[in-house]
Amino acid sequence: GKAMSINTILVHLDESEKGKQCLDVAATLADRFDAHLTAIGVKAPIYVPSFAAAQVPPDVYESMSAEQDRALAATEEKFNEKMRATSRTDRSGWVQGDGDMARIVAAQSRYADLTILGQENPDVDAGAYEGFPDAVVMGAGGPVLIVPYIGVQKDIGKSILVAWNGSREAARAVKDALPFLAQADKVTILSANPGKAEDIPGADIAVYLSEHGIEASTGKTVSDSVDVGDMLLNEVAEGGYDMVVMGGYGHSRLREVILGGVTHYLLGHMTVPVLF
């Protein structure tokens, strides 16, 4: 049905290697779902430590600002080139923001069925990108697909691992992932922190998926939060999964502490794209 489609995709782009990876993934998915693709570039505030701010001459700020403008223009041009090459010019658009990156991208995400951005690489990313993916996952108006900085090996979404704990966020993530799940060859449900021993972890969500024509197998995991993160990544490696689906958990409510920790862990350690 129409509800199970992705019609609009938003991708955050910059001049880095991750920008290129995100553009490749976004263009591939726009083709797969025949979606309109919007790219967003953000001019972030120039960060100078407060103790140094007084010593920085105004022309330094001006040249840093000019460099940001140049990088954004180059990124926009690369995006337009790619859209021309894939004959998507009329199904694409570029938007630009000026200010706090996470706030701007999260606000724009409300007008998209799927938002795509790159994982933070602590060895390379400083300043504006620090904490950016986490903040977008927490503030977005819909599902966010994070592309790992190690890159994407193959066509994503053929083999999907779902992290399930029966919560509202997990249910929301599964519903948001239906377009991917419907096209997957293999879907496995891993229950993080299953409740009573007699519960069959993930059985109810497996029934829900089967009613949408999606056959899923169920597995069981442990309840300690780092173990869950590790276990998911082990499972991804052993089972050859190319995508993970899980709720994006905040840190405010105690009952979500288990997967709150896992969200944070996966944002740091993912080996395949994760749909939060």
Side-chain angles (χ1 to χ4, degrees):
K2 208 60 186 143
M4 280 175 60
S5 60
I6 291 171
N7 298 319
T8 54
I9 296 174
L10 176 71
V11 60
H12 170 262
L13 298 181
D14 59 25
E15 222 187 0
S16 70
E17 179 58 33
K18 79 155 67 60
K20 191 181 162 304
Q21 290 166 351
C22 287
L23 179 54
D24 287 344
V25 170
T28 300
L29 294 179
D31 276 341
R32 187 189 300 178
F33 295 113
D34 191 26
H36 183 279
L37 180 60
T38 300
I40 185 167
V42 182
K43 184 175 181 176
I46 293 164
Y47 172 75
V48 178
S50 52
F51 65 83
Q55 277 76 49
V56 179
D59 60 336
V60 170
Y61 284 110
E62 275 160 37
S63 73
M64 285 165 89
S65 174
E67 168 55 31
Q68 281 181 306
D69 291 337
R70 187 208 58 76
L72 276 171
T75 303
E76 180 182 2
E77 186 42 47
K78 281 206 188 80
F79 172 69
N80 289 333
E81 255 167 51
K82 179 100 172 175
M83 293 302 96
R84 283 194 292 274
T86 54
S87 310
R88 299 200 66 82
T89 306
D90 58 335
R91 304 284 320 279
S92 64
W94 168 267
V95 291
Q96 207 162 299
D98 193 338
D100 181 80
M101 271 176 36
R103 226 180 34 243
I104 288 167
V105 174
Q108 194 68 36
S109 76
R110 287 164 204 157
Y111 313 109
D113 297 321
L114 177 69
T115 298
I116 300 173
L117 39 115
Q119 178 194 16
E120 183 183 336
N121 182 347
D123 298 333
V124 178
D125 297 319
Y129 213 87
E130 206 177 324
F132 165 68
D134 310 58
V136 174
V137 166
M138 296 313 166
V144 181
L145 183 73
I146 309 278
V147 177
Y149 60 73
I150 59 166
V152 175
Q153 258 43 60
K154 48 186 168 181
D155 200 15
I156 67 167
K158 296 288 150 222
S159 183
I160 303 177
L161 189 62
V162 176
W164 178 253
N165 74 339
S167 70
R168 184 174 66 92
E169 287 79 0
R172 183 64 211 270
V174 168
K175 288 173 184 172
D176 285 337
L178 282 173
F180 286 100
L181 297 169
Q183 293 187 5
D185 299 324
K186 177 167 92 165
V187 176
T188 304
I189 298 159
L190 266 190
S191 291
N193 195 26
K196 303 183 292 301
E198 68 270 16
D199 290 352
I200 304 167
D204 290 343
I205 198 68
V207 170
Y208 170 83
L209 288 174
S210 75
E211 284 161 359
H212 287 78
I214 297 158
E215 293 312 313
S217 55
T218 55
K220 185 169 182 172
T221 88
V222 288
S223 60
D224 173 82
S225 77
V226 176
D227 283 358
V228 174
D230 263 339
M231 182 136 186
L232 275 169
L233 293 179
N234 287 341
E235 194 67 27
V236 164
E238 285 167 24
Y241 294 95
D242 56 35
M243 184 174 172
V244 171
V245 170
M246 71 173 289
Y249 298 85
H251 301 269
S252 51
R253 296 192 287 289
L254 202 57
R255 69 184 173 82
E256 283 164 27
V257 156
I258 297 286
L259 278 184
V262 181
T263 297
H264 191 69
Y265 187 80
L266 279 190
L267 278 163
H269 299 88
M270 65 176 66
T271 50
V272 296
V274 180
L275 186 78
F276 289 102

